[in-house]
Amino acid sequence: MSKITAALEASVATVRDNTPPEGTAQTRRQRACVDHAFARILKLIAPRIRHFIRQYGLACHWDDAEQCCAIAVHRAIQSYEPEKAQFTTFVNWQIRGELQSLRFRVMTDQRPSARKVEATTVSLDAITGGEDGEGLSILSAIADEDALGRTEAGASDYLAKAAMNALTESYVEHLRNSGLERIRRRAHNAQPKPVKAKRPDNAAAAPPVRRPGRAPLDPAELTELEQRLEHNRQVVEGRLFETAPPLDLGEDETGLARERVRQVAKRAAKTMSDLAVMDPRFSLMAEYRQAMLAAH
């Protein structure tokens, strides 16, 4: 046994002795011993690693090849059985397997199926001749010139749709709060007011009259409010923003129904304009509106 082989066996034994069983935490001292022994193993087989990298034609992918060799050494240590073979022999096949796998990944023309059709790996940065005779890289030849415009247009449409949805929700919530306030006010006014009876001057003070609590809201009015809100939402989405099909008026497609829809859309536009000014989320839309008004 040579000195390098003996040193490899000793370093591998150190790594295996300081590797705790699965489920057991490794101490800091054990981790330091493993790191030191692993670095020594890589130093001992460094000439062999360089030889294999050149042999497999991976000199242009040197960093990746070295990483693959380190992974191969780590796997070899984990699965090494000293009674079956020496580590210096066992690790060779692990390194060869990892480098062969790397070569198939980065050099697809090395596969047996690629050799049958005489495939060749071509770099995207390779210079080819253009139509006018000037040098042109393959990457620039396959580049989509309209990709940036389509991406910006798609992003603009997405942001515009998100802003319209947020503004619609803000408008509907504003109407809901206003409607609930009116329903609460009507329910409060409909409550019977307590009547204070007159008492003689010499009578004892009567206990204070307990006022009734908040009046319950009428479920029918709440249902009607939600239906009206849904109707207004459909008008806004279909008539103002055109993000939904136009509102179906059903059989009542009279001038009165169309005029009512027009009035709802007009009030919605005015309300949303005011909301855009007050809500900081729509400050950009408000600035655009002011600029348009100033231009006209």
Side-chain angles (χ1 to χ4, degrees):
M1 183 181 296
S2 64
K3 294 182 179 180
I4 295 180
T5 301
L8 281 175
E9 295 291 340
S11 299
V12 171
T14 302
V15 173
R16 294 171 65 89
D17 292 341
N18 288 275
T19 302
E22 186 176 356
T24 305
Q26 190 179 35
T27 63
R28 185 178 301 177
R29 186 181 186 88
Q30 288 177 333
R31 191 179 302 112
C33 291
V34 169
D35 293 342
H36 181 74
F38 189 79
R40 179 168 175 78
I41 293 172
L42 291 180
K43 184 177 180 180
L44 290 172
I45 63 175
R48 192 179 318 179
I49 290 176
R50 291 193 293 268
H51 168 72
F52 283 144
I53 291 176
R54 295 190 184 96
Q55 183 181 18
Y56 280 85
L58 295 171
C60 57
H61 304 281
W62 195 274
D63 293 338
D64 294 335
E66 285 187 338
Q67 290 292 330
C68 286
C69 291
I71 294 173
V73 173
H74 181 70
R75 290 179 176 174
I77 294 173
Q78 289 182 330
S79 57
Y80 175 54
E81 297 180 5
E83 63 276 4
K84 292 185 178 181
Q86 292 182 346
F87 184 77
T88 183
T89 304
F90 182 71
V91 74
N92 285 348
W93 296 105
Q94 297 288 336
I95 294 175
R96 286 176 177 270
E98 288 293 334
L99 291 178
Q100 181 74 358
S101 176
L102 176 63
R103 185 170 67 172
F104 282 164
R105 290 196 300 270
V106 301
M107 303 170 64
T108 54
D109 55 347
Q110 297 297 320
R111 294 177 179 271
S113 58
R115 292 177 181 175
K116 293 180 181 179
V117 296
E118 298 181 355
T120 304
T121 302
V122 179
S123 173
L124 292 178
D125 297 325
I127 303 299
T128 60
E131 296 180 356
D132 53 358
E134 296 182 358
L136 182 67
S137 67
I138 299 177
L139 187 60
S140 61
I142 64 176
D144 188 356
E145 298 179 356
D146 300 329
L148 179 60
R150 289 198 302 270
T151 302
E152 291 180 348
S156 177
D157 293 342
Y158 173 79
L159 293 176
K161 186 175 181 180
M164 288 187 294
N165 291 337
L167 189 56
T168 303
E169 292 297 331
S170 179
Y171 165 69
V172 172
E173 188 64 23
H174 171 75
L175 293 183
R176 179 178 287 108
N177 294 335
S178 301
L180 288 175
E181 184 63 27
R182 287 194 298 269
I183 294 175
R184 291 193 187 99
R185 193 179 301 114
R186 283 198 297 267
H188 178 73
N189 295 334
Q191 277 187 312
K193 296 183 179 180
V195 179
K196 185 181 294 185
K198 293 184 178 181
R199 60 184 178 85
D201 296 338
N202 56 355
V209 179
R210 187 174 184 180
R211 297 182 178 274
R214 178 176 294 183
L217 303 182
D218 188 1
E221 291 186 348
L222 294 177
T223 303
E224 182 182 357
L225 173 62
E226 291 299 328
Q227 292 176 353
R228 188 164 60 251
L229 293 178
E230 183 61 26
H231 176 270
N232 289 0
R233 180 195 297 273
Q234 294 178 4
V235 171
V236 170
E237 293 178 349
R239 188 178 180 91
L240 292 182
F241 294 147
E242 297 182 355
T243 57
L247 182 65
D248 185 12
L249 300 178
E251 299 179 356
D252 187 19
E253 294 187 359
T254 61
L256 181 61
R258 287 194 293 270
E259 177 62 20
R260 187 179 298 114
V261 170
R262 191 186 70 82
Q263 291 293 336
V264 170
K266 183 178 179 180
R267 289 195 299 269
K270 178 64 171 61
T271 304
M272 286 191 292
S273 176
D274 297 337
L275 292 175
V277 174
M278 295 184 295
D279 196 329
R281 295 180 300 170
F282 311 115
S283 58
L284 185 61
M285 300 173 65
E287 293 175 0
Y288 178 76
R289 176 176 177 272
Q290 293 175 358
M292 293 295 293
L293 293 176
H296 293 289

